[in-house]
Every structure is written in structure tokens, then in C-alpha cells.
Amino acid sequence: MITVQHLVKRFGDLTVLKDVNAEIRRGEVVSIIGPSGCGKSTFLRCLNLLEQPTAGSITINGVDVMDPAADVALLRQKMNMVFQSFNLFSHLTVLENLTLGPIRLKGQTRDQAETRSMELLRLVGMAEKADSFPDELSGGQKQRVAIARCLAMEPEIILFDEPTSALDPTMVREVLSVIRRLARDGMTMAIVTHEMEFARDVSNRVFYMDEGVVYEEGPPEVIFTAPTREKTWAFINRVR
Ligand code: ADP
Ligand code: MG
């Protein structure tokens, strides 16, 4: 579904991504792990062009996303992102946060958008908060709303950038259980996370990023117990 070849990203003199090569298949859950500052967020942000890649190619379903003629808004609908900091619109209710995109960008009527949004709020256990404002919610509730908002755009893949690292432990669980459920339903996802146990049991594959590349990748049972490269091994030992 997504193919990344020789992706390079520089910020001035700093080369964050040197040569990233990766594939994500439809229905697959990929976890991305690695030391802080190794470029995990930059990688996700390049995929949906929140950052402009310096070089290389990214295709989604065979279509080159870096083609200047590509529709970036459509790309971001197909490859929607959930952020650590939720990024909800604070002046809109929960329901309005969900309906805004489908009405403005997908041409849905208010009725259509509200019906679907309520279904999604039920899915994440937030229907009773439809008329609340984001400030009235806990962090875990905000993140579940953010995930529902992401789903309202009917993405083909969801990119998660440390969706639980701003949350305390009870809230981490409620958010991870929503993500697990999406995985069971066959949603394609790429998840940057520090939750190693979660990564281990939700992922089909794990990418360990270091030195500006996908340094090692493999099934979770290999990466977490018997990685073949030294830096992966050192990282896994440090975090577990
Ligand atoms: P990670 O998510 O793995 O912690 P990031 O992708 O956020 O790492 O950052 C990788 C490196 O790129 C860091 O050194 C960071 O300071 C730098 N970086 C990220 N975004 C920018 C930016 N917009 N401008 C300059 N440097 C940046
Ligand atoms: Mg990051």
C-alpha cells in the first residue's frame, strides 16, 4: 500500500533521515520504535507531507505523493494522523470536531456527518460527550475523540505519533484498547510508540529506526527477543 524508497529529510545541515526504505501492506500494523530524536516523527510527517521530503520517493497505492500535481488534502484524508497532543479544535464541541472534515472536505451533509460521527463516538466510548468541549475531557477521552475524528475521514491508513505519551497509565490503557480494536478490524496503521508490550502484541511488524534509516525490521517476536543487530539489541535491553 505504501512504498518508501531512499527517503531523505534534512533540516538545514542536519540530516535526520538518510535513506529510509520501507513498505506497509494493506491491513498491516507496523510499530516504529527507536531512540528519541532518531526521526520517527519526521518519518511519519514526511509520509503525509506535513514535512516536505528532501529526496526519495513515497507512493500510496502506486501513486507518487511527491508529484507536484498530487492532491495533498486528499492524501491527508487517506493517510490521516493522530498526534501525541490530540490537536482537537477547542472552540468546537466533540461532535463538531468530528463533523467538520466530512462536511468541508468530503461533501457530506450535516445529517450524514452527524449520524456517522455518533457511530464513531460510540465505537470509542465517547457518545455521551458529544456536546462537551475538549477542555471538559480527560487526556484519554481527548485522544479517543481524536481517533474518532480521524476515522470520520475514512482513512486507508492511520499514522499514530506517540498517541499515549501525554497520558497517565489508566488513560493509556483505554486509548490502547481502542487502537487494538481497530487492529482487529483490519485497519492499516503505523504507530510510533514507547509502549513496548503493546507494540509487541498489536504489530505485524516492527521497524527499529536509528542512524537515519530503518536499521532493523521484523516480526515483533524477533525484534523484541532476538534482534540481529547490535544497536537494536542495546535499545531493546534498555527499554524493557
Ligand atoms: P523522534 O520523533 O524520533 O524523537 P524527530 O523526528 O522529532 O525524532 O526529530 C529528529 C531530529 O530532527 C531531531 O534532532 C529534531 O530536533 C530534528 N527536527 C525535527 N523537526 C525539525 C524542524 N522542523 N526543524 C529542525 N529540526 C527538526
Ligand atoms: Mg517524535
Side-chain angles (χ1 to χ4, degrees), residues 9-12 14-17 34-43 45 51 161-162 192 194 209:
K9 177 61 185 175
R10 292 191 198 100
F11 294 108
L14 178 68
T15 302
V16 176
L17 304 179
S36 180
C38 73
K40 302 179 296 297
S41 297
T42 302
F43 174 54
R45 293 168 63 80
E51 295 289 357
D161 193 359
E162 300 197 29
V192 172
H194 291 299
M209 286 187 72

Short mmCIF file of all heavy atoms in Angstrom, two decimals, residues 9-12 14-17 34-43 45 51 161-162 192 194 209, ligand 1:
data_model
loop_
_atom_site.label_atom_id
_atom_site.label_comp_id
_atom_site.label_asym_id
_atom_site.label_seq_id
_atom_site.Cartn_x
_atom_site.Cartn_y
_atom_site.Cartn_z
N LYS A 9 15.53 13.30 4.54
CA LYS A 9 14.99 14.56 5.05
C LYS A 9 16.09 15.30 5.81
O LYS A 9 16.68 14.78 6.75
CB LYS A 9 13.81 14.32 5.97
CG LYS A 9 13.25 15.60 6.60
CD LYS A 9 12.72 16.60 5.57
CE LYS A 9 12.29 17.91 6.22
NZ LYS A 9 11.90 18.91 5.20
N ARG A 10 16.36 16.52 5.35
CA ARG A 10 17.33 17.38 6.04
C ARG A 10 16.63 18.60 6.57
O ARG A 10 15.71 19.14 5.95
CB ARG A 10 18.42 17.87 5.06
CG ARG A 10 19.32 16.79 4.57
CD ARG A 10 20.55 17.35 3.82
NE ARG A 10 21.12 16.27 3.03
CZ ARG A 10 20.92 16.09 1.72
NH1 ARG A 10 20.22 16.98 1.03
NH2 ARG A 10 21.42 15.05 1.11
N PHE A 11 17.09 19.05 7.74
CA PHE A 11 16.71 20.37 8.25
C PHE A 11 18.01 21.17 8.26
O PHE A 11 18.85 20.95 9.13
CB PHE A 11 16.15 20.28 9.67
CG PHE A 11 14.84 19.53 9.78
CD1 PHE A 11 14.80 18.27 10.35
CD2 PHE A 11 13.65 20.10 9.32
CE1 PHE A 11 13.58 17.59 10.46
CE2 PHE A 11 12.44 19.41 9.44
CZ PHE A 11 12.41 18.16 10.01
N GLY A 12 18.21 22.04 7.30
CA GLY A 12 19.47 22.76 7.22
C GLY A 12 20.63 21.77 7.10
O GLY A 12 20.62 20.94 6.19
N LEU A 14 21.34 19.48 9.25
CA LEU A 14 21.04 18.23 9.98
C LEU A 14 20.30 17.24 9.08
O LEU A 14 19.20 17.52 8.60
CB LEU A 14 20.18 18.56 11.21
CG LEU A 14 19.73 17.37 12.07
CD1 LEU A 14 20.92 16.75 12.79
CD2 LEU A 14 18.68 17.83 13.07
N THR A 15 20.93 16.10 8.82
CA THR A 15 20.26 15.06 8.04
C THR A 15 19.59 14.10 9.01
O THR A 15 20.28 13.35 9.71
CB THR A 15 21.25 14.31 7.14
OG1 THR A 15 21.88 15.28 6.28
CG2 THR A 15 20.54 13.28 6.27
N VAL A 16 18.28 14.15 9.07
CA VAL A 16 17.55 13.31 10.03
C VAL A 16 17.27 11.94 9.41
O VAL A 16 17.50 10.91 10.04
CB VAL A 16 16.24 14.00 10.46
CG1 VAL A 16 15.44 13.09 11.37
CG2 VAL A 16 16.54 15.31 11.15
N LEU A 17 16.76 11.94 8.21
CA LEU A 17 16.51 10.68 7.51
C LEU A 17 17.54 10.58 6.38
O LEU A 17 17.59 11.45 5.50
CB LEU A 17 15.08 10.64 6.95
CG LEU A 17 13.96 10.86 7.98
CD1 LEU A 17 12.58 10.82 7.29
CD2 LEU A 17 14.02 9.85 9.11
N GLY A 34 12.45 3.36 18.49
CA GLY A 34 13.82 3.84 18.33
C GLY A 34 14.06 4.97 19.29
O GLY A 34 13.12 5.54 19.85
N PRO A 35 15.34 5.33 19.48
CA PRO A 35 15.68 6.36 20.46
C PRO A 35 15.07 7.71 20.12
O PRO A 35 14.77 8.00 18.95
CB PRO A 35 17.21 6.42 20.41
CG PRO A 35 17.63 5.66 19.22
CD PRO A 35 16.52 4.76 18.82
N SER A 36 14.87 8.51 21.14
CA SER A 36 14.35 9.85 20.97
C SER A 36 15.26 10.63 20.02
O SER A 36 16.48 10.56 20.11
CB SER A 36 14.31 10.51 22.35
OG SER A 36 13.82 11.79 22.22
N GLY A 37 14.65 11.34 19.08
CA GLY A 37 15.43 12.16 18.15
C GLY A 37 15.94 11.41 16.93
O GLY A 37 16.63 11.99 16.09
N CYS A 38 15.57 10.13 16.78
CA CYS A 38 16.10 9.37 15.64
C CYS A 38 15.31 9.64 14.35
O CYS A 38 15.69 9.16 13.29
CB CYS A 38 16.13 7.87 15.94
SG CYS A 38 14.50 7.10 15.95
N GLY A 39 14.20 10.38 14.45
CA GLY A 39 13.49 10.74 13.22
C GLY A 39 12.15 10.03 13.01
O GLY A 39 11.60 10.06 11.91
N LYS A 40 11.61 9.44 14.07
CA LYS A 40 10.33 8.70 13.92
C LYS A 40 9.20 9.65 13.52
O LYS A 40 8.44 9.37 12.59
CB LYS A 40 9.97 8.00 15.25
CG LYS A 40 11.05 7.03 15.73
CD LYS A 40 10.68 6.35 17.04
CE LYS A 40 10.55 7.28 18.25
NZ LYS A 40 11.80 7.98 18.62
N SER A 41 9.10 10.77 14.23
CA SER A 41 8.04 11.73 13.88
C SER A 41 8.27 12.31 12.50
O SER A 41 7.33 12.47 11.72
CB SER A 41 7.99 12.88 14.89
OG SER A 41 7.66 12.40 16.17
N THR A 42 9.51 12.62 12.21
CA THR A 42 9.84 13.18 10.90
C THR A 42 9.44 12.22 9.79
O THR A 42 8.88 12.63 8.77
CB THR A 42 11.35 13.50 10.83
OG1 THR A 42 11.67 14.42 11.88
CG2 THR A 42 11.73 14.09 9.48
N PHE A 43 9.68 10.94 10.02
CA PHE A 43 9.30 9.93 9.04
C PHE A 43 7.78 9.94 8.81
O PHE A 43 7.32 10.04 7.67
CB PHE A 43 9.78 8.55 9.50
CG PHE A 43 9.32 7.41 8.64
CD1 PHE A 43 9.54 7.42 7.27
CD2 PHE A 43 8.66 6.32 9.19
CE1 PHE A 43 9.10 6.37 6.47
CE2 PHE A 43 8.22 5.27 8.41
CZ PHE A 43 8.44 5.30 7.04
N ARG A 45 5.70 12.30 9.43
CA ARG A 45 5.29 13.60 8.88
C ARG A 45 5.64 13.73 7.39
O ARG A 45 4.94 14.39 6.64
CB ARG A 45 5.88 14.73 9.70
CG ARG A 45 5.30 14.78 11.13
CD ARG A 45 6.09 15.70 12.04
NE ARG A 45 6.04 17.08 11.58
CZ ARG A 45 5.01 17.90 11.80
NH1 ARG A 45 3.98 17.49 12.50
NH2 ARG A 45 5.04 19.12 11.33
N GLU A 51 5.83 17.33 6.45
CA GLU A 51 7.19 17.79 6.14
C GLU A 51 7.47 17.46 4.68
O GLU A 51 7.08 16.39 4.21
CB GLU A 51 8.26 17.07 6.99
CG GLU A 51 8.19 17.33 8.47
CD GLU A 51 8.63 18.75 8.87
OE1 GLU A 51 9.05 19.54 8.00
OE2 GLU A 51 8.51 19.03 10.07
N ASP A 161 1.37 9.15 16.12
CA ASP A 161 2.66 9.59 16.64
C ASP A 161 2.60 9.67 18.17
O ASP A 161 2.10 10.63 18.73
CB ASP A 161 3.06 10.95 16.06
CG ASP A 161 4.52 11.28 16.34
OD1 ASP A 161 5.21 10.45 16.99
OD2 ASP A 161 4.99 12.34 15.90
N GLU A 162 3.09 8.63 18.82
CA GLU A 162 3.08 8.53 20.28
C GLU A 162 1.72 8.92 20.87
O GLU A 162 1.62 9.87 21.65
CB GLU A 162 4.20 9.40 20.87
CG GLU A 162 5.55 8.95 20.37
CD GLU A 162 6.69 9.49 21.24
OE1 GLU A 162 6.45 9.69 22.44
OE2 GLU A 162 7.78 9.67 20.70
N VAL A 192 4.03 5.06 16.00
CA VAL A 192 5.25 5.36 16.75
C VAL A 192 4.88 5.26 18.22
O VAL A 192 3.94 5.92 18.67
CB VAL A 192 5.76 6.78 16.44
CG1 VAL A 192 6.92 7.15 17.38
CG2 VAL A 192 6.20 6.89 14.98
N HIS A 194 6.25 4.20 22.52
CA HIS A 194 7.21 3.73 23.53
C HIS A 194 6.61 2.59 24.35
O HIS A 194 7.23 2.12 25.29
CB HIS A 194 7.57 4.88 24.48
CG HIS A 194 8.40 5.94 23.83
ND1 HIS A 194 9.64 5.68 23.28
CD2 HIS A 194 8.15 7.24 23.59
CE1 HIS A 194 10.11 6.79 22.76
NE2 HIS A 194 9.22 7.76 22.93
N MET A 209 14.17 2.23 14.18
CA MET A 209 14.85 3.31 13.46
C MET A 209 16.05 3.81 14.25
O MET A 209 15.98 3.99 15.46
CB MET A 209 13.90 4.49 13.20
CG MET A 209 12.89 4.20 12.11
SD MET A 209 11.90 5.66 11.67
CE MET A 209 13.11 6.65 10.80
P1 ADP B 1 11.74 11.38 17.15
O1 ADP B 1 10.30 11.53 16.79
O2 ADP B 1 12.32 10.06 16.75
O3 ADP B 1 12.02 11.68 18.58
P2 ADP B 1 12.03 13.69 15.43
O4 ADP B 1 11.63 13.21 14.09
O5 ADP B 1 11.04 14.51 16.18
O6 ADP B 1 12.55 12.46 16.30
O7 ADP B 1 13.33 14.58 15.30
C1 ADP B 1 14.51 14.10 14.68
C2 ADP B 1 15.54 15.21 14.65
O8 ADP B 1 15.10 16.23 13.76
C3 ADP B 1 15.77 15.89 15.99
O9 ADP B 1 17.14 16.19 16.09
C4 ADP B 1 14.94 17.15 15.88
O10 ADP B 1 15.47 18.16 16.69
C5 ADP B 1 15.06 17.49 14.41
N1 ADP B 1 13.88 18.21 13.89
C6 ADP B 1 12.62 17.76 13.85
N2 ADP B 1 11.79 18.66 13.29
C7 ADP B 1 12.56 19.72 12.97
C8 ADP B 1 12.31 21.00 12.35
N3 ADP B 1 11.08 21.34 11.93
N4 ADP B 1 13.36 21.84 12.18
C9 ADP B 1 14.60 21.49 12.58
N5 ADP B 1 14.91 20.32 13.17
C10 ADP B 1 13.91 19.44 13.36
#
